[in-house]
Amino acid sequence: MGKNSKNKKKMKGAEKTSLKTEKKMLLKQKRMLAKIGEADIEELLAKYKVDPTKKETAATEIECPAPSPRVNFTVVTHPTKDQLIFFGGNFYDGKKAEVYDDLFMYNIAKDSWTVLRGGDKPLPRSGHQMVATATDGGQLWMFGGEYSSPSQLQFHHYSDLWVFRIKERQWEKIPASGGPSARSGHRMVLLKKRLFVFGGFHDNNHSYKYFNDVHFFSLEDYKWTKIDVAGVAPPPPRSGCCMTTTTSGSILIWGGYSRAPMKKDADRGITHWDSYSLTPDKHDPKGLSWKWVSIKMGGVRPPPRSGVSYVVAPNGKLYTFGGVMDTEEDEESIIGQFSNELHSFDAENRVWRKVAIAQPGKSQATDEAMEEKVMTSAGAFTVTVAGKKTKSGEKFSGSATSEPGPRSHCGLAVCKGTLFLFGGSLEEGTKDITLGDFYSLDLQKPTEWKTIIEDKTQNNEILQ
């Protein structure tokens, strides 16, 4: 026993300090949870789990009102029908959080909603990713995400992979090991029967980590593979970036957000504005050899923002909307500057374009004549944003102009040349506003947004 003790590695001073600090924080959190009467997060999640002896084989689809206001959810276009499918997301009013596990279907022609009830399903989550395929009447593949307790003092991140078989109305958890670690804010795309996952973060309120690893899941053999990517300069770790594929078989990523320690008990947020291509080795028939290449993009690029929403249309063109930039008012206060700009991106030619929406009775030249200036340096930026914007504390009304107001983390989907936008979040002074409005835009003739569900946040009692 003495010999073994001598061979044990001594814990270094920094490690001891870190461990002591973490224990103190855990005890402090325990006291706070006891004070507000909130149960442990595992106990909170347990109530959502389905008893395997009682669960139904499939869910039942019933008519319902539109989804409640939410953010960080997923919305995809049904692979074979003119429908949109929503899953999960969260609501937060600055005091209490709620995370959802519901799946909604929106029938575009009928302007009607249905929701699935019963059956086994994933636990509530937000910040996950979902991809649709047309296989076997339609499948939805979903990975990761996070659950936060009502107080937002506790977080649980997922590393599970699920498939929803649309025809059977049935969820199935895929028991595949070797995948990405638990995370949210990652990105996932489908390329040649493989689901590629990049980036994301894990934050338990005591420590955090951002990722830049790449994994893929084969839809043919149901196995995860981690890619050891070559290249001298991979993208720095990040979450919430934009990610799309090209016809040549490469994957493009740009933007995103991360945090880094600055000094004791203080971090700085980094809004990324760089772009990379993940390119396969043409001489590798197994498709396991890839490399990162830093790339340049042309056209009118959106200014650096986090919380930017994006969707890839069937023609391969990508559309982005909104986002937020943190700007310093002084040394101690930071405000969010939200946008409602719409941009398109041609992935094949790597060219950006700002989509100008000509609202009735509004001069388009006025907005386009506004100054747009971007100056970047390592990890920081100064920007004057073109187009309509709002700062925390400024009032806006999305329904007054019949167009989506400034926001971040909304949901976007494209069906038959029409862009749909739902929800998102906004800060108004000290208030956190979760939105539930819904709009559409004809991408062939983007002259006017159409309001499907009006913005009603101004009269929402929960914001009082």
Side-chain angles (χ1 to χ4, degrees):
M1 187 171 176
K3 189 176 181 181
N4 288 339
S5 298
K6 288 180 182 178
N7 290 335
K8 284 183 180 178
K9 285 186 177 180
K10 287 187 176 181
M11 191 178 290
K12 293 180 181 179
E15 290 176 309
K16 282 184 178 179
T17 303
S18 177
L19 189 61
K20 285 180 180 178
T21 302
E22 189 171 340
K23 283 183 177 179
K24 285 181 180 178
M25 290 179 72
L26 285 170
L27 286 171
K28 184 179 179 181
Q29 178 175 294
K30 230 173 182 179
R31 288 194 293 267
M32 289 178 69
L33 293 175
K35 186 177 180 180
I36 63 177
E38 182 174 281
D40 179 78
I41 195 164
E42 295 301 327
E43 191 178 328
L44 292 172
L45 284 169
K47 67 180 182 181
Y48 294 102
K49 295 179 180 178
V50 178
D51 185 342
T53 63
K54 298 179 181 178
K55 68 180 181 182
E56 303 166 30
T57 56
T60 303
E61 186 176 352
I62 60 174
E63 292 185 6
C64 68
S68 58
R70 61 192 60 204
V71 66
N72 295 316
F73 56 94
T74 48
V75 53
V76 297
T77 304
H78 193 297
T80 60
K81 296 181 180 180
D82 295 347
Q83 294 181 346
L84 306 182
I85 305 174
F86 297 69
F87 180 80
N90 67 283
F91 175 91
Y92 184 60
D93 64 356
K95 297 177 182 179
K96 188 178 180 180
E98 186 172 356
V99 188
Y100 305 108
D101 62 353
D102 41 18
L103 188 146
F104 292 90
M105 291 189 178
Y106 175 68
N107 186 305
I108 296 170
K110 295 180 180 179
D111 187 24
S112 62
W113 296 87
T114 56
V115 66
L116 299 183
R117 298 296 187 202
D120 194 12
K121 59 182 176 180
L123 294 174
R125 67 192 63 206
S126 62
H128 51 285
Q129 285 283 280
M130 191 161 70
V131 171
T133 74
T135 306
D136 298 330
Q139 297 177 347
L140 306 180
W141 288 87
M142 186 184 71
F143 174 77
E146 68 177 77
Y147 173 84
S148 64
S149 67
S151 67
Q152 288 208 323
L153 290 173
Q154 304 180 83
F155 294 88
H156 177 88
H157 293 260
Y158 300 101
S159 61
D160 49 353
L161 178 69
W162 290 77
V163 59
F164 180 72
R165 306 186 192 283
I166 301 176
K167 194 174 180 180
E168 291 82 12
R169 298 292 191 267
Q170 186 175 14
W171 282 103
E172 179 188 350
K173 187 176 182 179
I174 305 300
S177 59
S181 59
R183 64 189 66 192
S184 64
H186 51 286
R187 290 295 178 257
M188 183 168 75
V189 295
L190 176 65
L191 177 64
K192 297 180 179 179
K193 297 184 179 181
R194 291 174 170 179
L195 298 172
F196 283 80
V197 175
F198 168 79
F201 73 98
H202 184 282
D203 186 345
N204 62 6
N205 228 8
H206 307 301
S207 61
Y208 61 84
K209 182 177 181 180
Y210 285 80
F211 304 101
N212 64 349
D213 50 349
V214 183
H215 298 73
F216 72 76
F217 179 80
S218 170
L219 297 182
E220 295 179 308
D221 60 18
Y222 278 31
K223 290 182 180 178
W224 281 107
T225 299
K226 182 179 180 182
I227 302 176
D228 293 321
V229 187
V232 294
R238 67 193 65 197
S239 70
C241 64
C242 293
M243 185 172 174
T244 189
T245 61
T246 68
T247 54
S248 63
S250 62
I251 297 173
L252 304 183
I253 72 112
W254 65 93
Y257 178 84
S258 64
R259 285 189 294 155
M262 186 172 60
K263 55 185 179 180
K264 187 178 179 181
D265 298 327
D267 299 324
R268 66 185 176 99
I270 302 172
T271 301
H272 298 278
W273 208 47
D274 46 1
S275 47
Y276 296 82
S277 172
L278 182 61
T279 308
D281 184 345
K282 296 180 180 179
H283 303 291
D284 176 18
K286 294 183 178 180
L288 300 177
S289 299
W290 297 71
K291 67 176 180 178
W292 283 113
V293 179
S294 178
I295 60 173
K296 292 183 179 180
M297 296 180 176
V300 183
R301 293 183 64 184
R305 298 184 180 121
S306 62
V308 174
S309 303
Y310 74 95
V311 63
V312 181
N315 62 3
K317 189 173 288 187
L318 182 141
Y319 293 87
T320 67
F321 184 88
V324 59
M325 292 180 296
D326 289 337
T327 58
E328 290 188 14
E329 286 279 278
D330 51 50
E331 291 184 358
E332 296 187 357
S333 69
I334 295 178
I335 63 169
Q337 195 173 59
F338 290 79
S339 167
N340 69 340
E341 289 181 352
L342 178 66
H343 288 80
S344 68
F345 176 68
D346 181 342
E348 301 305 321
N349 298 307
R350 300 176 185 175
V351 174
W352 282 98
R353 183 174 73 89
K354 182 180 176 183
V355 181
I357 311 298
Q359 293 293 335
K362 180 181 177 181
S363 172
Q364 183 177 314
T366 303
D367 278 348
E368 301 219 348
M370 288 184 68
E371 179 186 20
E372 182 172 306
K373 187 187 300 179
V374 178
M375 297 172 283
T376 60
S377 59
F381 64 85
T382 303
V383 62
T384 301
V385 189
K388 181 177 177 180
K389 58 185 178 292
T390 183
K391 295 181 181 180
S392 298
E394 292 183 354
K395 297 286 184 181
F396 85 100
S397 176
S399 57
T401 56
S402 189
E403 65 175 338
R407 68 193 65 205
S408 67
H409 300 95
C410 61
L412 297 178
V414 174
C415 183
K416 289 190 173 179
T418 299
L419 174 68
F420 293 87
L421 182 155
F422 185 93
S425 64
L426 176 73
E427 295 171 9
E428 192 175 89
T430 58
K431 295 177 181 177
D432 291 86
I433 299 176
T434 304
L435 301 165
D437 45 354
F438 194 22
Y439 305 86
S440 68
L441 177 71
D442 184 349
L443 294 174
Q444 304 302 316
K445 298 178 180 179
T447 57
E448 182 181 5
W449 285 97
K450 293 183 179 179
T451 303
I452 303 172
I453 300 175
E454 291 184 355
D455 165 41
K456 298 177 181 178
T457 56
Q458 302 300 316
N459 301 316
N460 192 340
E461 292 182 2
I462 200 163
L463 301 177
Q464 301 302 315

